[in-house]
Amino acid sequence: MAVGRYVSDLEAGDKMGPVAYTVSAFTVREYCHSVEIDDEIFLGIDNPIAPPTLVHLDKLKLYEATCPAGTGPSARLHIEYDARFHDAVPVGVEVEIVGAVTERFEKRGRTYVITQIEMRDKKSGRLLITYRDTVILAYRQGEQEAAQ
C-alpha cells in the first residue's frame, strides 16, 4: 500500500481503500451542477440518485486516504475514464470504495497509471459502479518532441 507516499509514487499492484461514506443529496446536487448534469433522475426531489461519474470524487477520496502526502511534485493529467453503472446509487446509501493500480508504464517519455475502482453498497455488497481511470503523471515532453 502506498500510505504516506505521493499519488505519483503509485505502482502496479498497489491497493487503495476501502473508504466508506454515505451518499448525500448535497454532494449529488453540487456535483451535478458542477458538471452540468440536469437530468431529473439525478436531481429528482423525491429520490435522487448519483450519476456514474460521481466516482471521480471517490478516486480523490482513495488518493487522500492512501497517499496523504498529496499528488507529488507534478500534477496529474486525467486523460481517459470508463465509468459503468451496474445499479442505482440512491441518496442515503452507505457505500464502500476500493481501488487498485493495475498498470504503470512509460510511453513517449510519459508515465501512465491505470486504476480500477469499485463502488459497492456496504451493507449488501452489491456492485454499484466500476471505474477505469487513466492518468499521466509528471508530464514531460517526449524526446522526439523536445528535439523539434
Side-chain angles (χ1 to χ4, degrees), residues 23-78:
V23 177
S24 74
F26 175 81
T27 299
V28 170
R29 183 179 63 248
E30 292 303 307
Y31 176 80
C32 287
H33 288 304
S34 72
V35 295
E36 300 181 353
I37 294 174
D38 59 5
D39 295 323
E40 189 62 29
I41 191 166
F42 301 121
L43 297 172
I45 295 170
D46 294 335
N47 197 17
I49 63 171
T53 55
L54 186 73
V55 77
H56 288 301
L57 299 179
D58 296 328
K59 176 180 71 171
L60 298 178
K61 289 176 184 179
L62 287 170
Y63 282 165
E64 185 178 304
T66 306
C67 306
T71 59
S74 302
R76 293 178 317 277
L77 176 60
H78 184 195

Side-chain angles (χ1 to χ4, degrees), residues 101-142:
V101 177
T102 58
E103 293 181 61
R104 180 179 175 128
F105 59 92
E106 296 283 326
K107 182 177 175 184
R108 286 184 253 150
R110 298 172 185 103
T111 302
Y112 289 74
V113 174
I114 298 176
T115 305
Q116 297 279 18
I117 297 172
E118 288 186 349
M119 174 194 283
R120 293 182 179 274
D121 180 310
K122 185 171 181 183
K123 187 175 181 180
S124 70
R126 186 181 73 229
L127 183 62
L128 302 171
I129 297 174
T130 52
Y131 178 75
R132 181 180 185 270
D133 181 71
T134 304
V135 296
I136 298 175
L137 300 177
Y139 178 82
R140 296 180 311 276
Q141 273 191 315

